[in-house]
Amino acid sequence: MSGRMLRARLGLRCCGTTAPQRTTGPCWQLYVAMAGRVSDWPVHTWPKSTEVPSIEEREAVLASLGFVLVDGAEWEWAEDTGPEYHPHPVRVSLSAGAEVLPLDGGVA
């Protein structure tokens, strides 16, 4: 494995996504923040649901994107409020992050 540590982010998209494809309604999205254009970041969107993807589901998606959690890394959860300009009442948003490394031959 490469020694280059990156950060994976998991968040509930309350109004759907616009990338990599447009979705409507709440869904969870996982991406790995990297150098370069955001549109080039590895990303996975789960089908419309508010149920948090399990640790096993997150690890499987990370592997499919070419990454693995750093040894001993845990998902760190954070709460925030959505922006006031959203088309619905301001509410708490939930997100998580974890340190990851590219797998050998991965996309990173």
Side-chain angles (χ1 to χ4, degrees):
M1 263 189 266
S2 164
R4 195 171 119 201
M5 196 171 9
L6 300 165
R7 186 100 175 142
R9 301 288 303 167
L10 173 72
L12 178 61
R13 306 295 302 259
C14 63
C15 298
T17 63
T18 56
Q21 68 245 7
R22 180 172 287 284
T23 64
T24 59
C27 61
W28 285 91
Q29 191 170 58
L30 183 148
Y31 63 89
V32 178
M34 303 176 65
R37 297 182 312 176
V38 172
S39 61
D40 293 335
W41 291 358
V43 63
H44 174 83
T45 304
W46 276 270
K48 185 176 170 180
S49 173
T50 57
E51 186 174 330
V52 179
S54 70
I55 292 172
E56 293 80 14
E57 291 171 317
R58 288 177 251 159
E59 288 177 353
V61 164
L62 280 172
S64 74
L65 296 175
F67 297 88
V68 64
L69 286 176
V70 169
D71 284 340
E74 295 182 6
W75 290 94
E76 301 167 359
W77 290 91
E79 291 183 1
D80 198 359
T81 54
E84 293 183 15
Y85 60 80
H86 253 36
H88 52 68
V90 174
R91 58 179 139 191
V92 173
S93 63
L94 185 62
S95 65
E99 301 296 326
V100 297
L101 289 169
L103 289 167
D104 288 337
V107 295

